[in-house]
Amino acid sequence: LNLGLSASDYVNDLALDGTTLYVAGSFTTVSGGGRSNVAAVNAATGALSNWNPVTQDYVGCVVPSAAGVWIGGSFKALNGTFHNGFVLIEEATNTPWPFQVDIGGTVNTIAVKDNIVYLGGQFNSINKTARTNLAALDLRTGTLLAWDPRAYGLSTTDRTASVNSIKIKDNLLFTGGRFYAINAMATIRPGLAAVDLATGAATSWNPLVGDGKTINQYVNCIDIVDNTLYAAGAFNLLNLSVTRNNLAAISTANANILAWDPNSSGEVFRVRATPSTVYVTGSFQGGIGGAMRPYNLAALEATTGKATLWNPELDGTAYDVAIGGSNIYVAGYFSTVFKEFRPGLASFLMADGSLNDWTPDIGDDGDGGYSTFTLSTSTSRLFVGGNFTQLGNEARQYYGEFDLCPSKPAVTLSGTTLSTIASGELQWYANGDAVDGATGPTFDVNPLEYGLYVVSVTQYGCEIFSDDAIYVVTALESTRDEALKAYPNPVEDELTLELAPTNDALDITITDIMGRVMRTEKNTDTRALSFAGYRPGPYLLIIQTGNVRYVKKIMKIR
């Protein structure tokens, strides 16, 4: 996918929403069409959508949501109408949110709940009304709500304060940043706070980042998993007495500082948490989680805080990490990983941290650097932004995509054995269910049963299924055919059965050629079957008596 950006363009943010990829930055042309700093393209083909907002300056972020598409950046107008740095664009109509919002500063972080959009950043007003770094707007009317927590610095006029990260949990807005007090100067909440979504009042939740007197220590990013909040930033003290260097886990219920203590040697910029693992980037070359991690990247156990064994040896530094299926993708400024050529981008198997063979070959245009800055994944694609001019042999200016999925596997049938030549992680399915242990290139079907079979192949976190392979018992006759006679065959009305003497009753099933049951008789001694009323065509007669099974193809005529 080539968006056709020029050498003077750049991309600040990417966001995927279904099959649509939103691109934000500074550019005038995308995929051969005119676009002003923000565009929407088909994620598979790169074709431009009709969505075409026009800004007069760069766009720094783009966030699709159920209400529309949010954009933020350094602009004063959208489509010729005044919108200062922040706007929601309705995706269906290609028109901006009909309510103008004048931000007196910068928006750093956004959260939405119950038709209310919450803003955090470094601003002193919204629509000329005083709001200090936190605000809320009604999505339906554009009204600035009375909700007004006010995140202050060391004074009510301190313009260095900022809110850097917000997360909603239950009815609280958890807030991290560089601030000293919430609501009033007497309500000291340095660096971290929990604010009631209804009233704007700060709760008693107060982990107290730093010395309680300055804002020299601060939080860059927060994430929440279950009842644990992870805080990343530049700090060494919490709750005035607990030492935590730049990374901490805190109870969202009571603000207790948890025992989890990776002890980062330097500032942590981003934290992304799962129930089992916490991934971080930052300047912790001196160590984190009890181990040396000199490449700005670490994976930490969510239970102990210890660094996992995963420690890719880069000849440079990592900037971003993304999770896709069963793999980890790492972007940064490097040319080798474990001394193998992986310029600027690499993939690792999550299970054991091993380096995958995948080599995307980020091109440096001869300047000696391989830089990728940002990653995003979908179920089938990896989206990459950075300072590069080509991917493999293809010209790509600062942005590109990789298809992570293998080709659709083909299945062939020989006798009663299905097989595929596809390579990768294989799994066979029978009638919609994965078959335990069926992970090889061949699969043996039951010769006396209908079945719908598929095989899937998984590579780099993407699973692709074959077309359905339908096994139909057609010309197959019972291996005990001499013991069963069914006549006349073809049959018009009545089929007569002759079977070897048995003391067991019969279970009789008649199915059509697709395996749909037309008739069943359980525990019967009948020797005549009516085919009157059946449509002409092939049918399958299956007779079970004791431990013996008979299968015969019957042709119905007229």
Side-chain angles (χ1 to χ4, degrees):
L1 185 67
N2 187 355
L3 299 186
L5 301 175
S6 72
S8 61
D9 297 335
Y10 58 86
V11 173
N12 288 324
D13 197 17
L14 304 171
L16 184 69
D17 185 23
T19 60
T20 300
L21 181 73
Y22 294 93
V23 184
S26 177
F27 46 78
T28 58
T29 302
V30 174
S31 294
R35 289 297 184 268
S36 178
N37 307 309
V38 64
V41 302
N42 184 285
T45 66
L48 276 173
S49 76
N50 292 327
W51 190 75
N52 185 20
V54 178
T55 68
Q56 281 68 49
D57 209 336
Y58 78 84
V59 176
C61 63
V62 56
V63 182
S65 72
V69 184
W70 301 96
I71 66 169
S74 179
F75 52 84
K76 298 292 184 183
L78 180 76
N79 297 345
T81 303
F82 180 78
H83 290 280
N84 188 14
F86 166 81
V87 70
L88 169 70
I89 302 171
E90 294 180 1
E91 191 170 12
T93 63
N94 191 31
T95 59
W97 196 34
F99 316 110
Q100 295 183 2
V101 180
D102 181 9
I103 306 293
T106 303
V107 174
N108 294 330
T109 180
I110 297 172
V112 178
K113 183 180 181 182
D114 299 334
N115 290 314
I116 297 174
V117 56
Y118 298 89
L119 309 179
Q122 192 172 41
F123 50 80
N124 56 28
S125 68
I126 303 288
N127 294 342
K128 309 301 183 185
T129 300
R131 287 292 185 272
T132 306
N133 304 319
L134 282 169
L137 300 167
D138 189 313
L139 275 175
R140 296 161 297 187
T141 65
T143 304
L144 177 66
L145 301 180
W147 190 83
D148 184 19
R150 302 183 302 280
Y152 291 125
L154 294 178
S155 70
T156 58
T157 59
D158 183 357
R159 296 291 181 257
T160 64
S162 67
V163 171
N164 298 329
S165 184
I166 58 177
K167 293 285 184 180
I168 293 175
K169 177 176 171 56
D170 302 325
N171 294 313
L172 297 176
L173 183 80
F174 287 88
T175 303
R178 186 170 186 165
F179 50 81
Y180 181 75
I182 300 289
N183 298 153
M185 291 306 301
T187 313
I188 298 172
R189 298 288 187 273
L192 286 168
V195 177
D196 190 288
L197 290 179
T199 66
T203 71
S204 59
W205 192 84
N206 187 14
L208 276 167
V209 177
D211 60 9
K213 299 178 181 179
T214 69
I215 56 173
N216 296 331
Q217 299 184 41
Y218 51 87
V219 172
N220 291 320
C221 184
I222 63 174
D223 200 4
I224 297 175
V225 175
D226 297 327
N227 294 316
T228 299
L229 179 142
Y230 295 92
F235 53 81
N236 56 38
L237 192 65
L238 294 174
N239 204 21
L240 299 181
S241 61
V242 181
T243 300
R244 291 290 184 272
N245 290 319
N246 308 306
L247 192 59
I250 304 162
S251 169
T252 57
N254 53 25
N256 284 346
I257 313 303
L258 304 181
W260 192 78
D261 184 14
N263 191 25
S264 174
S265 62
E267 185 171 357
V268 180
F269 301 124
R270 177 171 293 178
V271 57
R272 294 176 176 173
T274 72
S276 62
T277 309
V278 180
Y279 298 92
V280 292
T281 61
S283 298
F284 37 73
Q285 293 88 344
I288 187 172
M292 300 299 291
R293 294 293 182 263
Y295 311 113
N296 288 10
L297 174 68
L300 308 168
E301 294 178 358
T303 52
T304 67
K306 293 181 179 179
T308 71
L309 295 178
W310 186 60
N311 182 27
E313 179 185 336
L314 316 177
D315 66 342
T317 188
Y319 296 143
D320 201 3
V321 61
I323 306 300
S326 58
N327 294 279
I328 304 168
Y329 298 92
V330 174
Y333 184 82
F334 52 83
S335 58
T336 66
V337 180
F338 295 126
K339 296 183 172 56
E340 295 190 29
F341 188 58
R342 297 291 189 277
L345 188 59
S347 168
F348 303 83
L349 188 63
M350 189 183 302
D352 60 10
S354 59
L355 181 66
N356 287 320
D357 292 336
W358 185 64
T359 305
D361 195 8
I362 302 293
D364 70 342
D365 200 25
D367 66 3
Y370 305 94
S371 292
T372 51
F373 299 140
T374 182
L375 300 175
S376 181
T377 59
S378 70
T379 56
S380 62
R381 295 209 167 204
L382 177 72
F383 306 92
V384 183
N387 184 22
F388 50 80
T389 57
Q390 64 185 53
L391 299 177
N393 295 322
E394 300 292 331
R396 296 292 185 270
Q397 288 283 352
Y398 311 136
Y399 166 79
E401 299 177 12
F402 292 96
D403 189 344
L404 303 179
C405 290
S407 300
K408 179 187 292 186
V411 174
T412 59
L413 175 64
S414 177
T416 59
T417 299
L418 296 166
S419 62
T420 181
I421 61 171
S423 60
E425 181 182 340
L426 300 176
Q427 175 63 60
W428 290 92
Y429 293 78
N431 300 318
D433 297 322
V435 180
D436 290 342
T439 57
T442 62
F443 181 76
D444 292 325
V445 304
N446 187 328
L448 302 181
E449 290 185 358
Y450 288 100
L452 187 149
Y453 301 92
V454 296
V455 67
S456 74
V457 56
T458 301
Q459 290 180 348
Y460 309 117
C462 180
E463 185 177 25
I464 292 294
F465 290 85
S466 68
D467 291 331
D468 294 341
I470 303 173
Y471 180 79
V472 181
V473 185
T474 54
L476 180 69
E477 299 289 334
S478 169
T479 56
R480 298 175 57 86
D481 186 53
E482 73 282 358
L484 170 67
K485 296 185 183 300
Y487 58 87
N489 189 13
V491 63
E492 291 188 29
D493 295 316
E494 187 174 86
L495 186 74
T496 299
L497 304 179
E498 287 187 7
L499 198 65
T502 176
N503 293 324
D504 296 313
L506 307 182
D507 289 342
I508 298 175
T509 302
I510 299 174
T511 73
D512 67 9
I513 199 64
M514 296 306 295
R516 291 171 293 199
V517 175
M518 311 300 294
R519 176 179 176 180
T520 59
E521 291 189 24
K522 299 290 186 181
N523 200 29
T524 181
D525 59 0
T526 185
R527 294 297 187 269
L529 297 174
S530 175
F531 273 73
Y534 285 21
R535 291 183 178 181
Y539 292 86
L540 192 72
L541 172 64
I542 304 170
I543 297 176
Q544 185 81 36
T545 175
N547 295 323
V548 180
R549 194 179 204 196
Y550 304 91
V551 179
K552 185 175 284 288
K553 180 182 176 184
I554 305 298
M555 183 62 68
K556 169 71 166 71
I557 58 175
R558 285 196 285 272

